[in-house]
mmCIF file of all heavy atoms in Angstrom:
data_model
loop_
_atom_site.group_PDB
_atom_site.id
_atom_site.type_symbol
_atom_site.label_atom_id
_atom_site.label_comp_id
_atom_site.label_asym_id
_atom_site.label_seq_id
_atom_site.Cartn_x
_atom_site.Cartn_y
_atom_site.Cartn_z
ATOM 1 N N ALA A 1 -6.346 -11.628 -17.448
ATOM 2 C CA ALA A 1 -5.962 -11.072 -16.156
ATOM 3 C C ALA A 1 -6.768 -9.788 -15.971
ATOM 4 O O ALA A 1 -7.672 -9.484 -16.728
ATOM 5 C CB ALA A 1 -4.459 -10.818 -16.096
ATOM 6 N N GLY A 2 -6.437 -9.029 -14.964
ATOM 7 C CA GLY A 2 -7.221 -7.818 -14.709
ATOM 8 C C GLY A 2 -6.436 -6.847 -13.867
ATOM 9 O O GLY A 2 -5.214 -6.763 -13.984
ATOM 10 N N GLY A 3 -7.183 -6.253 -12.897
ATOM 11 C CA GLY A 3 -8.498 -6.571 -12.409
ATOM 12 C C GLY A 3 -8.768 -8.035 -12.103
ATOM 13 O O GLY A 3 -7.897 -8.841 -11.926
ATOM 14 N N GLU A 4 -10.054 -8.316 -12.039
ATOM 15 C CA GLU A 4 -10.523 -9.680 -11.818
ATOM 16 C C GLU A 4 -11.362 -10.087 -13.018
ATOM 17 O O GLU A 4 -12.509 -9.646 -13.171
ATOM 18 C CB GLU A 4 -11.328 -9.775 -10.524
ATOM 19 C CG GLU A 4 -12.037 -11.097 -10.305
ATOM 20 C CD GLU A 4 -11.119 -12.300 -10.520
ATOM 21 O OE1 GLU A 4 -9.997 -12.316 -9.965
ATOM 22 O OE2 GLU A 4 -11.529 -13.221 -11.250
ATOM 23 N N PRO A 5 -10.817 -10.950 -13.893
ATOM 24 C CA PRO A 5 -11.508 -11.261 -15.146
ATOM 25 C C PRO A 5 -12.862 -11.936 -14.964
ATOM 26 O O PRO A 5 -13.747 -11.765 -15.801
ATOM 27 C CB PRO A 5 -10.518 -12.181 -15.873
ATOM 28 C CG PRO A 5 -9.605 -12.700 -14.810
ATOM 29 C CD PRO A 5 -9.501 -11.614 -13.803
ATOM 30 N N LEU A 6 -13.040 -12.690 -13.890
ATOM 31 C CA LEU A 6 -14.280 -13.453 -13.747
ATOM 32 C C LEU A 6 -15.490 -12.586 -13.405
ATOM 33 O O LEU A 6 -16.623 -13.068 -13.437
ATOM 34 C CB LEU A 6 -14.106 -14.545 -12.686
ATOM 35 C CG LEU A 6 -13.059 -15.619 -13.004
ATOM 36 C CD1 LEU A 6 -13.083 -16.713 -11.961
ATOM 37 C CD2 LEU A 6 -13.263 -16.208 -14.397
ATOM 38 N N ILE A 7 -15.256 -11.295 -13.097
ATOM 39 C CA ILE A 7 -16.395 -10.388 -12.879
ATOM 40 C C ILE A 7 -16.427 -9.284 -13.935
ATOM 41 O O ILE A 7 -17.164 -8.312 -13.792
ATOM 42 C CB ILE A 7 -16.374 -9.761 -11.467
ATOM 43 C CG1 ILE A 7 -15.147 -8.853 -11.285
ATOM 44 C CG2 ILE A 7 -16.430 -10.830 -10.395
ATOM 45 C CD1 ILE A 7 -15.208 -7.976 -10.037
ATOM 46 N N ASP A 8 -15.647 -9.458 -14.987
ATOM 47 C CA ASP A 8 -15.550 -8.426 -16.015
ATOM 48 C C ASP A 8 -16.419 -8.793 -17.214
ATOM 49 O O ASP A 8 -16.203 -9.834 -17.847
ATOM 50 C CB ASP A 8 -14.097 -8.266 -16.466
ATOM 51 C CG ASP A 8 -13.869 -6.981 -17.232
ATOM 52 O OD1 ASP A 8 -14.709 -6.651 -18.092
ATOM 53 O OD2 ASP A 8 -12.868 -6.307 -16.966
ATOM 54 N N PRO A 9 -17.415 -7.972 -17.562
ATOM 55 C CA PRO A 9 -18.278 -8.285 -18.713
ATOM 56 C C PRO A 9 -17.506 -8.464 -20.018
ATOM 57 O O PRO A 9 -17.923 -9.239 -20.891
ATOM 58 C CB PRO A 9 -19.216 -7.068 -18.793
ATOM 59 C CG PRO A 9 -19.198 -6.465 -17.425
ATOM 60 C CD PRO A 9 -17.824 -6.724 -16.896
ATOM 61 N N THR A 10 -16.374 -7.752 -20.159
ATOM 62 C CA THR A 10 -15.585 -7.871 -21.388
ATOM 63 C C THR A 10 -15.053 -9.285 -21.566
ATOM 64 O O THR A 10 -14.947 -9.794 -22.691
ATOM 65 C CB THR A 10 -14.416 -6.866 -21.370
ATOM 66 O OG1 THR A 10 -14.911 -5.571 -21.061
ATOM 67 C CG2 THR A 10 -13.718 -6.828 -22.710
ATOM 68 N N HIS A 11 -14.711 -9.922 -20.475
ATOM 69 C CA HIS A 11 -14.238 -11.312 -20.515
ATOM 70 C C HIS A 11 -15.283 -12.225 -21.150
ATOM 71 O O HIS A 11 -14.980 -13.045 -22.022
ATOM 72 C CB HIS A 11 -13.889 -11.760 -19.094
ATOM 73 C CG HIS A 11 -13.919 -13.239 -18.881
ATOM 74 N ND1 HIS A 11 -14.889 -13.860 -18.113
ATOM 75 C CD2 HIS A 11 -13.119 -14.226 -19.346
ATOM 76 C CE1 HIS A 11 -14.662 -15.154 -18.093
ATOM 77 N NE2 HIS A 11 -13.607 -15.413 -18.832
ATOM 78 N N TYR A 12 -16.517 -12.062 -20.739
ATOM 79 C CA TYR A 12 -17.587 -12.915 -21.270
ATOM 80 C C TYR A 12 -17.916 -12.554 -22.719
ATOM 81 O O TYR A 12 -18.318 -13.424 -23.508
ATOM 82 C CB TYR A 12 -18.818 -12.819 -20.373
ATOM 83 C CG TYR A 12 -18.544 -13.374 -18.986
ATOM 84 C CD1 TYR A 12 -18.186 -12.535 -17.941
ATOM 85 C CD2 TYR A 12 -18.588 -14.742 -18.758
ATOM 86 C CE1 TYR A 12 -17.896 -13.045 -16.685
ATOM 87 C CE2 TYR A 12 -18.286 -15.260 -17.505
ATOM 88 C CZ TYR A 12 -17.943 -14.413 -16.471
ATOM 89 O OH TYR A 12 -17.637 -14.920 -15.238
ATOM 90 N N LYS A 13 -17.710 -11.293 -23.086
ATOM 91 C CA LYS A 13 -17.896 -10.882 -24.475
ATOM 92 C C LYS A 13 -16.868 -11.566 -25.371
ATOM 93 O O LYS A 13 -17.193 -12.044 -26.467
ATOM 94 C CB LYS A 13 -17.779 -9.362 -24.585
ATOM 95 C CG LYS A 13 -18.015 -8.807 -25.975
ATOM 96 C CD LYS A 13 -17.998 -7.285 -25.969
ATOM 97 C CE LYS A 13 -18.264 -6.707 -27.344
ATOM 98 N NZ LYS A 13 -18.292 -5.206 -27.320
ATOM 99 N N ILE A 14 -15.621 -11.635 -24.901
ATOM 100 C CA ILE A 14 -14.572 -12.296 -25.672
ATOM 101 C C ILE A 14 -14.871 -13.786 -25.811
ATOM 102 O O ILE A 14 -14.727 -14.371 -26.894
ATOM 103 C CB ILE A 14 -13.198 -12.065 -25.015
ATOM 104 C CG1 ILE A 14 -12.756 -10.616 -25.219
ATOM 105 C CG2 ILE A 14 -12.148 -13.022 -25.592
ATOM 106 C CD1 ILE A 14 -11.458 -10.257 -24.527
ATOM 107 N N LEU A 15 -15.286 -14.423 -24.719
ATOM 108 C CA LEU A 15 -15.602 -15.851 -24.786
ATOM 109 C C LEU A 15 -16.702 -16.132 -25.799
ATOM 110 O O LEU A 15 -16.665 -17.148 -26.507
ATOM 111 C CB LEU A 15 -16.013 -16.365 -23.401
ATOM 112 C CG LEU A 15 -14.935 -16.404 -22.329
ATOM 113 C CD1 LEU A 15 -15.483 -17.036 -21.054
ATOM 114 C CD2 LEU A 15 -13.699 -17.158 -22.796
ATOM 115 N N GLU A 16 -17.671 -15.236 -25.880
ATOM 116 C CA GLU A 16 -18.756 -15.416 -26.850
ATOM 117 C C GLU A 16 -18.235 -15.281 -28.279
ATOM 118 O O GLU A 16 -18.592 -16.070 -29.160
ATOM 119 C CB GLU A 16 -19.859 -14.388 -26.597
ATOM 120 C CG GLU A 16 -21.058 -14.529 -27.524
ATOM 121 C CD GLU A 16 -22.144 -13.508 -27.245
ATOM 122 O OE1 GLU A 16 -21.989 -12.699 -26.302
ATOM 123 O OE2 GLU A 16 -23.153 -13.516 -27.980
ATOM 124 N N LEU A 17 -17.350 -14.302 -28.503
ATOM 125 C CA LEU A 17 -16.823 -14.078 -29.849
ATOM 126 C C LEU A 17 -15.969 -15.245 -30.338
ATOM 127 O O LEU A 17 -15.947 -15.555 -31.533
ATOM 128 C CB LEU A 17 -16.002 -12.789 -29.881
ATOM 129 C CG LEU A 17 -16.778 -11.470 -29.881
ATOM 130 C CD1 LEU A 17 -15.824 -10.293 -29.785
ATOM 131 C CD2 LEU A 17 -17.626 -11.356 -31.152
ATOM 132 N N ILE A 18 -15.241 -15.877 -29.435
ATOM 133 C CA ILE A 18 -14.343 -16.958 -29.852
ATOM 134 C C ILE A 18 -14.997 -18.332 -29.726
ATOM 135 O O ILE A 18 -14.366 -19.344 -30.038
ATOM 136 C CB ILE A 18 -13.031 -16.942 -29.041
ATOM 137 C CG1 ILE A 18 -13.298 -17.179 -27.553
ATOM 138 C CG2 ILE A 18 -12.277 -15.636 -29.270
ATOM 139 C CD1 ILE A 18 -12.032 -17.274 -26.720
ATOM 140 N N SER A 19 -16.252 -18.379 -29.299
ATOM 141 C CA SER A 19 -16.912 -19.675 -29.074
ATOM 142 C C SER A 19 -16.927 -20.579 -30.316
ATOM 143 O O SER A 19 -16.830 -21.807 -30.176
ATOM 144 C CB SER A 19 -18.330 -19.470 -28.540
ATOM 145 O OG SER A 19 -19.125 -18.733 -29.452
ATOM 146 N N PRO A 20 -17.031 -20.035 -31.551
ATOM 147 C CA PRO A 20 -16.993 -20.947 -32.713
ATOM 148 C C PRO A 20 -15.674 -21.697 -32.861
ATOM 149 O O PRO A 20 -15.610 -22.713 -33.551
ATOM 150 C CB PRO A 20 -17.221 -20.006 -33.906
ATOM 151 C CG PRO A 20 -17.914 -18.816 -33.336
ATOM 152 C CD PRO A 20 -17.326 -18.654 -31.974
ATOM 153 N N TYR A 21 -14.616 -21.195 -32.217
ATOM 154 C CA TYR A 21 -13.282 -21.789 -32.340
ATOM 155 C C TYR A 21 -12.807 -22.362 -31.009
ATOM 156 O O TYR A 21 -11.622 -22.635 -30.825
ATOM 157 C CB TYR A 21 -12.294 -20.735 -32.840
ATOM 158 C CG TYR A 21 -12.865 -19.851 -33.926
ATOM 159 C CD1 TYR A 21 -13.335 -18.566 -33.633
ATOM 160 C CD2 TYR A 21 -12.996 -20.324 -35.223
ATOM 161 C CE1 TYR A 21 -13.894 -17.764 -34.619
ATOM 162 C CE2 TYR A 21 -13.568 -19.529 -36.223
ATOM 163 C CZ TYR A 21 -14.012 -18.247 -35.904
ATOM 164 O OH TYR A 21 -14.583 -17.466 -36.891
ATOM 165 N N ALA A 22 -13.742 -22.551 -30.065
ATOM 166 C CA ALA A 22 -13.395 -22.896 -28.686
ATOM 167 C C ALA A 22 -12.560 -24.167 -28.584
ATOM 168 O O ALA A 22 -11.637 -24.246 -27.771
ATOM 169 C CB ALA A 22 -14.669 -23.031 -27.850
ATOM 170 N N ASN A 23 -12.842 -25.154 -29.410
ATOM 171 C CA ASN A 23 -12.145 -26.437 -29.255
ATOM 172 C C ASN A 23 -10.673 -26.380 -29.641
ATOM 173 O O ASN A 23 -9.930 -27.326 -29.386
ATOM 174 C CB ASN A 23 -12.861 -27.543 -30.036
ATOM 175 C CG ASN A 23 -12.892 -27.283 -31.533
ATOM 176 O OD1 ASN A 23 -12.435 -26.242 -32.008
ATOM 177 N ND2 ASN A 23 -13.440 -28.225 -32.277
ATOM 178 N N GLN A 24 -10.220 -25.268 -30.247
ATOM 179 C CA GLN A 24 -8.804 -25.124 -30.594
ATOM 180 C C GLN A 24 -8.076 -24.173 -29.643
ATOM 181 O O GLN A 24 -6.864 -23.965 -29.767
ATOM 182 C CB GLN A 24 -8.650 -24.583 -32.019
ATOM 183 C CG GLN A 24 -9.025 -23.100 -32.165
ATOM 184 C CD GLN A 24 -8.989 -22.593 -33.585
ATOM 185 O OE1 GLN A 24 -9.317 -23.323 -34.518
ATOM 186 N NE2 GLN A 24 -8.578 -21.342 -33.766
ATOM 187 N N ILE A 25 -8.787 -23.612 -28.661
ATOM 188 C CA ILE A 25 -8.229 -22.541 -27.823
ATOM 189 C C ILE A 25 -8.078 -22.993 -26.374
ATOM 190 O O ILE A 25 -9.006 -23.542 -25.773
ATOM 191 C CB ILE A 25 -9.123 -21.285 -27.890
ATOM 192 C CG1 ILE A 25 -9.188 -20.756 -29.326
ATOM 193 C CG2 ILE A 25 -8.601 -20.202 -26.951
ATOM 194 C CD1 ILE A 25 -10.143 -19.585 -29.502
ATOM 195 N N ASP A 26 -6.884 -22.744 -25.826
ATOM 196 C CA ASP A 26 -6.623 -22.940 -24.399
ATOM 197 C C ASP A 26 -6.838 -21.610 -23.673
ATOM 198 O O ASP A 26 -6.435 -20.551 -24.178
ATOM 199 C CB ASP A 26 -5.190 -23.411 -24.166
ATOM 200 C CG ASP A 26 -4.895 -24.726 -24.864
ATOM 201 O OD1 ASP A 26 -5.708 -25.653 -24.733
ATOM 202 O OD2 ASP A 26 -3.844 -24.817 -25.531
ATOM 203 N N LEU A 27 -7.439 -21.675 -22.497
ATOM 204 C CA LEU A 27 -7.648 -20.485 -21.675
ATOM 205 C C LEU A 27 -6.799 -20.574 -20.414
ATOM 206 O O LEU A 27 -6.671 -21.649 -19.813
ATOM 207 C CB LEU A 27 -9.123 -20.352 -21.269
ATOM 208 C CG LEU A 27 -10.168 -20.305 -22.392
ATOM 209 C CD1 LEU A 27 -11.567 -20.193 -21.785
ATOM 210 C CD2 LEU A 27 -9.902 -19.145 -23.340
ATOM 211 N N ASP A 28 -6.229 -19.443 -20.024
ATOM 212 C CA ASP A 28 -5.458 -19.374 -18.782
ATOM 213 C C ASP A 28 -5.878 -18.119 -18.032
ATOM 214 O O ASP A 28 -5.956 -17.040 -18.616
ATOM 215 C CB ASP A 28 -3.959 -19.348 -19.073
ATOM 216 C CG ASP A 28 -3.126 -19.590 -17.815
ATOM 217 O OD1 ASP A 28 -3.244 -18.788 -16.881
ATOM 218 O OD2 ASP A 28 -2.378 -20.578 -17.767
ATOM 219 N N TYR A 29 -6.145 -18.269 -16.740
ATOM 220 C CA TYR A 29 -6.643 -17.162 -15.933
ATOM 221 C C TYR A 29 -5.719 -16.847 -14.766
ATOM 222 O O TYR A 29 -5.202 -17.756 -14.104
ATOM 223 C CB TYR A 29 -8.014 -17.512 -15.338
ATOM 224 C CG TYR A 29 -9.142 -17.561 -16.329
ATOM 225 C CD1 TYR A 29 -9.375 -18.703 -17.084
ATOM 226 C CD2 TYR A 29 -9.987 -16.473 -16.503
ATOM 227 C CE1 TYR A 29 -10.417 -18.767 -17.999
ATOM 228 C CE2 TYR A 29 -11.038 -16.522 -17.422
ATOM 229 C CZ TYR A 29 -11.247 -17.663 -18.159
ATOM 230 O OH TYR A 29 -12.274 -17.712 -19.052
ATOM 231 N N SER A 30 -5.545 -15.560 -14.512
ATOM 232 C CA SER A 30 -5.020 -15.085 -13.232
ATOM 233 C C SER A 30 -6.217 -14.523 -12.483
ATOM 234 O O SER A 30 -6.797 -13.513 -12.896
ATOM 235 C CB SER A 30 -3.953 -14.006 -13.439
ATOM 236 O OG SER A 30 -2.817 -14.536 -14.076
ATOM 237 N N THR A 31 -6.607 -15.174 -11.394
ATOM 238 C CA THR A 31 -7.851 -14.841 -10.724
ATOM 239 C C THR A 31 -7.730 -14.980 -9.224
ATOM 240 O O THR A 31 -6.939 -15.792 -8.725
ATOM 241 C CB THR A 31 -8.994 -15.747 -11.228
ATOM 242 O OG1 THR A 31 -10.165 -15.542 -10.433
ATOM 243 C CG2 THR A 31 -8.613 -17.225 -11.151
ATOM 244 N N ASN A 32 -8.534 -14.196 -8.493
ATOM 245 C CA ASN A 32 -8.586 -14.371 -7.038
ATOM 246 C C ASN A 32 -9.644 -15.400 -6.647
ATOM 247 O O ASN A 32 -9.704 -15.811 -5.492
ATOM 248 C CB ASN A 32 -8.814 -13.039 -6.317
ATOM 249 C CG ASN A 32 -10.128 -12.361 -6.685
ATOM 250 O OD1 ASN A 32 -11.205 -12.944 -6.570
ATOM 251 N ND2 ASN A 32 -10.049 -11.090 -7.099
ATOM 252 N N LEU A 33 -10.496 -15.801 -7.564
ATOM 253 C CA LEU A 33 -11.486 -16.865 -7.416
ATOM 254 C C LEU A 33 -12.423 -16.664 -6.212
ATOM 255 O O LEU A 33 -12.945 -17.622 -5.668
ATOM 256 C CB LEU A 33 -10.803 -18.239 -7.313
ATOM 257 C CG LEU A 33 -11.648 -19.429 -7.806
ATOM 258 C CD1 LEU A 33 -11.848 -19.385 -9.296
ATOM 259 C CD2 LEU A 33 -11.023 -20.756 -7.382
ATOM 260 N N ASN A 34 -12.638 -15.423 -5.821
ATOM 261 C CA ASN A 34 -13.605 -15.181 -4.755
ATOM 262 C C ASN A 34 -15.036 -15.186 -5.271
ATOM 263 O O ASN A 34 -15.983 -15.340 -4.498
ATOM 264 C CB ASN A 34 -13.307 -13.859 -4.046
ATOM 265 C CG ASN A 34 -12.353 -14.014 -2.879
ATOM 266 O OD1 ASN A 34 -12.684 -13.695 -1.748
ATOM 267 N ND2 ASN A 34 -11.159 -14.521 -3.146
ATOM 268 N N ILE A 35 -15.196 -14.987 -6.583
ATOM 269 C CA ILE A 35 -16.523 -15.005 -7.207
ATOM 270 C C ILE A 35 -16.470 -15.898 -8.441
ATOM 271 O O ILE A 35 -15.684 -15.654 -9.355
ATOM 272 C CB ILE A 35 -16.973 -13.591 -7.614
ATOM 273 C CG1 ILE A 35 -17.109 -12.685 -6.378
ATOM 274 C CG2 ILE A 35 -18.294 -13.644 -8.374
ATOM 275 C CD1 ILE A 35 -17.431 -11.239 -6.714
ATOM 276 N N ILE A 36 -17.303 -16.944 -8.457
ATOM 277 C CA ILE A 36 -17.318 -17.833 -9.628
ATOM 278 C C ILE A 36 -18.709 -17.931 -10.249
ATOM 279 O O ILE A 36 -18.891 -18.638 -11.237
ATOM 280 C CB ILE A 36 -16.797 -19.243 -9.282
ATOM 281 C CG1 ILE A 36 -17.611 -19.878 -8.147
ATOM 282 C CG2 ILE A 36 -15.326 -19.202 -8.932
ATOM 283 C CD1 ILE A 36 -17.215 -21.315 -7.867
ATOM 284 N N ASN A 37 -19.664 -17.236 -9.694
ATOM 285 C CA ASN A 37 -21.010 -17.200 -10.272
ATOM 286 C C ASN A 37 -21.375 -15.751 -10.550
ATOM 287 O O ASN A 37 -21.988 -15.079 -9.726
ATOM 288 C CB ASN A 37 -22.032 -17.838 -9.323
ATOM 289 C CG ASN A 37 -21.779 -19.310 -9.104
ATOM 290 O OD1 ASN A 37 -21.664 -20.059 -10.059
ATOM 291 N ND2 ASN A 37 -21.666 -19.722 -7.853
ATOM 292 N N TYR A 38 -20.968 -15.270 -11.712
ATOM 293 C CA TYR A 38 -21.185 -13.872 -12.062
ATOM 294 C C TYR A 38 -22.392 -13.742 -12.977
ATOM 295 O O TYR A 38 -22.391 -14.261 -14.102
ATOM 296 C CB TYR A 38 -19.935 -13.298 -12.745
ATOM 297 C CG TYR A 38 -20.099 -11.891 -13.253
ATOM 298 C CD1 TYR A 38 -20.089 -10.813 -12.371
ATOM 299 C CD2 TYR A 38 -20.279 -11.638 -14.607
ATOM 300 C CE1 TYR A 38 -20.242 -9.515 -12.832
ATOM 301 C CE2 TYR A 38 -20.438 -10.350 -15.083
ATOM 302 C CZ TYR A 38 -20.420 -9.292 -14.190
ATOM 303 O OH TYR A 38 -20.588 -8.008 -14.661
ATOM 304 N N LYS A 39 -23.417 -13.079 -12.487
ATOM 305 C CA LYS A 39 -24.616 -12.753 -13.268
ATOM 306 C C LYS A 39 -25.175 -13.940 -14.061
ATOM 307 O O LYS A 39 -25.574 -13.817 -15.221
ATOM 308 C CB LYS A 39 -24.327 -11.585 -14.213
ATOM 309 C CG LYS A 39 -24.063 -10.276 -13.478
ATOM 310 C CD LYS A 39 -23.958 -9.096 -14.429
ATOM 311 C CE LYS A 39 -23.792 -7.787 -13.648
ATOM 312 N NZ LYS A 39 -23.716 -6.611 -14.543
ATOM 313 N N GLY A 40 -25.169 -15.094 -13.426
ATOM 314 C CA GLY A 40 -25.794 -16.257 -14.038
ATOM 315 C C GLY A 40 -24.938 -17.021 -15.023
ATOM 316 O O GLY A 40 -25.382 -18.038 -15.574
ATOM 317 N N PHE A 41 -23.711 -16.565 -15.291
ATOM 318 C CA PHE A 41 -22.830 -17.302 -16.199
ATOM 319 C C PHE A 41 -22.387 -18.609 -15.541
ATOM 320 O O PHE A 41 -21.921 -18.612 -14.399
ATOM 321 C CB PHE A 41 -21.610 -16.469 -16.572
ATOM 322 C CG PHE A 41 -21.895 -15.346 -17.523
ATOM 323 C CD1 PHE A 41 -21.984 -14.036 -17.068
ATOM 324 C CD2 PHE A 41 -22.087 -15.598 -18.873
ATOM 325 C CE1 PHE A 41 -22.245 -12.998 -17.946
ATOM 326 C CE2 PHE A 41 -22.354 -14.563 -19.757
ATOM 327 C CZ PHE A 41 -22.432 -13.260 -19.292
ATOM 328 N N ASP A 42 -22.524 -19.705 -16.247
ATOM 329 C CA ASP A 42 -22.113 -21.019 -15.756
ATOM 330 C C ASP A 42 -20.730 -21.336 -16.323
ATOM 331 O O ASP A 42 -20.591 -21.775 -17.464
ATOM 332 C CB ASP A 42 -23.119 -22.082 -16.187
ATOM 333 C CG ASP A 42 -22.822 -23.454 -15.600
ATOM 334 O OD1 ASP A 42 -21.662 -23.707 -15.230
ATOM 335 O OD2 ASP A 42 -23.753 -24.276 -15.518
ATOM 336 N N LEU A 43 -19.692 -21.096 -15.516
ATOM 337 C CA LEU A 43 -18.333 -21.266 -16.007
ATOM 338 C C LEU A 43 -18.031 -22.711 -16.370
ATOM 339 O O LEU A 43 -17.297 -22.981 -17.330
ATOM 340 C CB LEU A 43 -17.332 -20.761 -14.963
ATOM 341 C CG LEU A 43 -17.235 -19.234 -14.835
ATOM 342 C CD1 LEU A 43 -16.366 -18.858 -13.645
ATOM 343 C CD2 LEU A 43 -16.676 -18.620 -16.110
ATOM 344 N N ASN A 44 -18.561 -23.635 -15.616
ATOM 345 C CA ASN A 44 -18.324 -25.039 -15.941
ATOM 346 C C ASN A 44 -18.858 -25.372 -17.329
ATOM 347 O O ASN A 44 -18.202 -26.043 -18.134
ATOM 348 C CB ASN A 44 -18.973 -25.940 -14.890
ATOM 349 C CG ASN A 44 -18.561 -27.396 -15.052
ATOM 350 O OD1 ASN A 44 -17.499 -27.705 -15.579
ATOM 351 N ND2 ASN A 44 -19.418 -28.297 -14.597
ATOM 352 N N ASP A 45 -20.026 -24.871 -17.639
ATOM 353 C CA ASP A 45 -20.627 -25.108 -18.952
ATOM 354 C C ASP A 45 -19.846 -24.405 -20.060
ATOM 355 O O ASP A 45 -19.604 -24.970 -21.131
ATOM 356 C CB ASP A 45 -22.075 -24.620 -18.952
ATOM 357 C CG ASP A 45 -22.758 -24.861 -20.296
ATOM 358 O OD1 ASP A 45 -22.850 -26.023 -20.717
ATOM 359 O OD2 ASP A 45 -23.188 -23.866 -20.923
ATOM 360 N N ILE A 46 -19.423 -23.154 -19.785
ATOM 361 C CA ILE A 46 -18.677 -22.382 -20.785
ATOM 362 C C ILE A 46 -17.305 -22.990 -21.032
ATOM 363 O O ILE A 46 -16.890 -23.206 -22.178
ATOM 364 C CB ILE A 46 -18.534 -20.913 -20.331
ATOM 365 C CG1 ILE A 46 -19.901 -20.228 -20.284
ATOM 366 C CG2 ILE A 46 -17.586 -20.153 -21.266
ATOM 367 C CD1 ILE A 46 -19.874 -18.842 -19.644
ATOM 368 N N TRP A 47 -16.591 -23.295 -19.957
ATOM 369 C CA TRP A 47 -15.206 -23.736 -20.082
ATOM 370 C C TRP A 47 -15.067 -25.103 -20.748
ATOM 371 O O TRP A 47 -14.059 -25.368 -21.406
ATOM 372 C CB TRP A 47 -14.551 -23.756 -18.703
ATOM 373 C CG TRP A 47 -14.178 -22.392 -18.201
ATOM 374 C CD1 TRP A 47 -14.095 -21.246 -18.936
ATOM 375 C CD2 TRP A 47 -13.832 -22.036 -16.862
ATOM 376 N NE1 TRP A 47 -13.713 -20.191 -18.131
ATOM 377 C CE2 TRP A 47 -13.543 -20.645 -16.855
ATOM 378 C CE3 TRP A 47 -13.732 -22.736 -15.660
ATOM 379 C CZ2 TRP A 47 -13.172 -19.960 -15.698
ATOM 380 C CZ3 TRP A 47 -13.356 -22.060 -14.508
ATOM 381 C CH2 TRP A 47 -13.077 -20.689 -14.529
#
């Protein structure tokens, strides 16, 4: 949550740190979804 997590660099830092364990982790977002393409991050690919 935030703020708006989808435009927060810390959010993407956390996703990178937990990526080795991604298949065991569920993600849940509280978002306004006005921005889904932040600085080239491909959420579909990441998620």
Side-chain angles (χ1 to χ4, degrees):
E4 171 49 49
L6 297 186
I7 65 168
D8 196 316
T10 309
H11 157 250
Y12 295 96
K13 183 175 181 178
I14 288 176
L15 292 184
E16 182 179 358
L17 284 175
I18 62 176
S19 60
Y21 319 101
N23 62 357
Q24 72 185 35
I25 298 175
D26 300 312
L27 303 179
D28 193 299
Y29 289 83
S30 294
T31 172
N32 61 55
L33 207 69
N34 271 240
I35 297 175
I36 57 175
N37 296 307
Y38 175 76
K39 293 187 176 181
F41 287 103
D42 185 337
L43 286 172
N44 190 26
D45 181 60
I46 294 171
W47 283 345

